[in-house]
Amino acid sequence: MRDPANHALPSRPNTGAPRATRPRPQYAQRSLIIGLILSFVLIFWTVQLFILMTSLDAYLGHEHGLLWPAALSSLLLAALTLVLVRLIPKDPRRD
């Protein structure tokens, strides 16, 4: 007599190639990614400093129409910087 448990069809048959696992990035690759993130953070901070100097100059020159766009763009750059900094892993993996 046949055992019905051995002949049951799976709910989702495995057809096709098996899933490939992604290789873990090596130390050099991770340090390159972290270096790129930090370079973008440095660029964003430099642009924010330029926006601060421009908005202070506009404030002292009584050009108040420039202050709100400068504040909004500075907030956007601060948010982008925060997102990039949060991408940096806190504890590096040991290979």
Side-chain angles (χ1 to χ4, degrees):
M1 188 167 180
R2 290 186 177 177
D3 185 18
N6 289 339
H7 298 289
L9 293 175
S11 60
R12 294 178 67 190
N14 291 333
T15 57
R19 288 187 177 173
T21 59
R22 278 197 251 168
R24 290 175 55 181
Q26 299 298 321
Y27 177 77
Q29 292 171 334
R30 285 195 311 255
S31 61
L32 174 71
I33 291 169
I34 290 173
L36 286 173
I37 289 173
L38 290 177
S39 64
F40 273 107
V41 167
L42 182 64
I43 290 169
F44 289 161
W45 280 347
T46 306
V47 171
Q48 270 190 303
L49 183 63
F50 176 74
I51 290 171
L52 175 69
M53 290 187 310
T54 305
S55 60
L56 284 175
D57 186 46
Y59 178 73
L60 291 174
H62 300 292
E63 298 174 15
H64 300 291
L66 186 66
L67 296 180
W68 282 111
L72 290 175
S73 60
S74 181
L75 283 175
L76 178 69
L77 283 173
L80 285 173
T81 303
L82 183 64
V83 167
L84 284 177
V85 167
R86 290 185 64 130
L87 288 177
I88 298 173
K90 297 199 184 332
D91 294 326
R93 289 190 241 169
R94 290 184 171 82
D95 291 330

